[in-house]
Amino acid sequence: QVQLVESGGELVQPGGSLRLSCAASGFTVVRYGMTPMSWYRQAPKKERVLVAHIGTAGDAVNYEDSVKGRFTISRNNAEKTLYLQMNSLKPEDTAVYYCKAHTLDGPDFWGQGTQVTVSS
């Protein structure tokens, strides 16, 4: 049974930093390494949107325009963990952040989300 568990979300002041993690279980290391991954976020009363995407080897990344230069997505395939380093956080970054696994041979999987609140 595949499970994705996000962590690292908390209350932070504007201009601060956070590092989110998404730990995968139910994957072999080989299968995880073949699975593109993404971070999404959903602000209150808004749709869930893509924040960042990373290819299987970590060398193909793309970002939503508002986070370019501030957020960095990365992955450790040996540890089956996805990361999102978030710097220079703004109040508009406040949202529940979700990780998503884009499996090539089955359904996609979502984590349960972690709350990020940027406020003074």
Side-chain angles (χ1 to χ4, degrees), residues 4 11 44 65-66 68 74 85 102:
L4 302 175
L11 172 64
D65 284 347
S66 70
K68 286 180 180 177
S74 62
Q85 177 67 43
H102 304 263

Side-chain angles (χ1 to χ4, degrees), residues 3-10 17-25 32 37-40 54 72-76 79-86 96-100 110-116:
Q3 275 195 314
L4 302 175
V5 179
E6 301 96 333
S7 61
E10 62 181 67
S17 297
L18 284 176
R19 188 193 198 201
L20 305 184
S21 299
C22 170
S25 60
Y32 182 82
M37 301 290 294
S38 297
W39 285 101
Y40 283 72
I54 188 167
T72 303
I73 188 172
S74 62
R75 63 190 295 163
N76 184 322
E79 296 187 356
K80 297 182 288 184
T81 304
L82 178 72
Y83 300 100
L84 186 68
Q85 177 67 43
M86 306 187 295
V96 178
Y97 284 71
Y98 300 89
C99 61
K100 181 180 180 181
W110 291 91
Q112 84 292 344
T114 185
Q115 175 70 49
V116 172

